[in-house]
Amino acid sequence: MEKLVLYNYFRSSTSYRVRIAMHLKGIPFEYRAIHLLKQEQHSPEFLKVNPQGEVPALKNGDLVISQSLPILEYLDETHPTPPIYPKNPGERAQVRQFCENINSYMHPVCNLKILQYLETQHGYDLAAKEGWISNWQIPGFTALEKLAEQHAGRFCYGDELTAADICLIPMMFSARRFHVDLSAFPILNRIDQDCQEIEAFKESHPLRQVDTPDDLRIP
Ligand SMILES: N[C@@H](CCC(=O)N[C@@H](CS)C(=O)NCC(=O)O)C(=O)O
């Protein structure tokens, strides 16, 4: 069987989601780095892989899937152990809802192309971009904290890791990078700390990847 290829970038939070799932499930993969700041996502070769010009993209032989949430579901269906979605349909839908809060509302506002547009078309400097991100993400984290109050055990939904945690931890990493104040979210911070102790999260961490620049790398 051919090895799976993951097109990704160390600091991309959506790539980080997929790396966590692959390490958690023990799926070997080839790490193909796409340097977003060098605009490699818009190269003709990469656009053949993902016409949308975004990472992550997963290649399994002739099959290519982009969008991290469908990739997570594909991995869960092809490698069911350990599961990352609950079996019960209601609980499963709630985990998906939590993921979508992050995926469709919180993550897009800090995407590179959005920030580049704000800078080139509207003159945003770094402080203005960080203000923009906080403006949208604080209400997002506020909702996630409320959901966690209702549903969390050790992790976001009960005591088993799910896709909710796999989306949350990269979102928190990205938010901290842009100086979003996360101090008002004690449950989310506690879950984040717990996850950082788990091997799959350590291995997937943006600052420990092959394309992590040396000056950012952590042990
Ligand atoms: N909803 C997509 C979002 C993918 C996405 O936005 N990827 C970012 C990196 S986190 C990207 O490739 N951005 C390229 C750009 O902005 O030019 C997913 O979940 O995979």
Side-chain angles (χ1 to χ4, degrees):
M1 203 173 122
E2 260 183 79
K3 209 179 197 182
L4 300 187
V5 178
L6 181 63
Y7 296 85
N8 72 136
Y9 180 58
F10 76 101
R11 205 158 46 186
S12 143
S13 68
T14 53
S15 301
Y16 185 10
R17 297 173 192 167
V18 176
R19 290 197 301 264
I20 297 169
M22 295 185 90
H23 284 298
L24 203 59
K25 288 172 174 291
I27 306 170
F29 64 96
E30 180 189 330
Y31 189 113
R32 199 81 62 89
I34 302 297
H35 200 308
L36 297 187
L37 293 181
K38 292 186 185 156
Q39 302 295 321
E40 287 177 359
Q41 69 275 32
H42 303 303
S43 70
E45 304 81 63
F46 184 68
L47 289 175
K48 280 187 208 144
V49 176
N50 181 7
Q52 190 148 322
E54 290 177 343
V55 289
L58 182 74
K59 187 170 182 310
N60 183 9
D62 292 336
L63 175 73
V64 180
I65 314 167
S66 64
Q67 295 290 347
S68 60
L69 294 185
I71 296 174
L72 293 187
E73 296 197 5
Y74 172 76
L75 293 173
D76 203 43
E77 284 162 19
T78 52
H79 299 78
T81 313
I84 55 172
Y85 292 91
K87 285 212 163 38
N88 174 285
E91 291 170 8
R92 203 174 164 84
Q94 286 179 319
V95 166
R96 286 183 169 137
Q97 174 216 319
F98 191 98
C99 295
E100 276 303 335
N101 284 3
I102 295 173
N103 187 56
S104 57
Y105 171 69
M106 298 171 71
H107 168 264
V109 299
C110 65
N111 202 352
L112 178 64
K113 63 185 112 179
I114 305 296
L115 298 180
Q116 283 172 338
Y117 180 85
L118 290 174
E119 186 177 324
T120 58
Q121 305 300 310
H122 297 287
Y124 278 45
D125 61 9
L126 181 60
K129 285 189 267 187
E130 290 186 348
W132 156 268
I133 292 170
S134 286
N135 181 64
W136 301 112
Q137 288 196 349
I138 298 259
F141 281 114
T142 304
L144 297 183
E145 179 78 11
K146 291 222 167 71
L147 290 171
E149 265 168 37
Q150 293 163 27
H151 301 287
R154 181 173 173 211
F155 299 111
C156 290
Y157 281 82
D159 292 324
E160 302 298 331
L161 268 175
T162 66
D165 308 290
I166 292 175
C167 289
L168 173 67
I169 281 23
M171 191 72 267
M172 293 182 80
F173 171 83
S174 167
R176 286 197 190 98
R177 189 180 145 219
F178 292 113
H179 302 108
V180 177
D181 180 3
L182 299 181
S183 58
F185 311 116
I187 306 176
L188 303 182
N189 277 305
R190 197 258 302 147
I191 293 171
D192 181 41
Q193 268 176 12
D194 250 25
C195 287
Q196 299 304 333
E197 299 304 315
I198 297 169
E199 204 49 41
F201 285 81
K202 288 187 188 166
E203 284 180 282
S204 318
H205 195 283
L207 304 187
R208 293 195 183 96
Q209 302 309 304
V210 288
D211 56 338
T212 307
D214 287 342
D215 57 332
L216 296 180
R217 184 172 295 283
I218 56 170

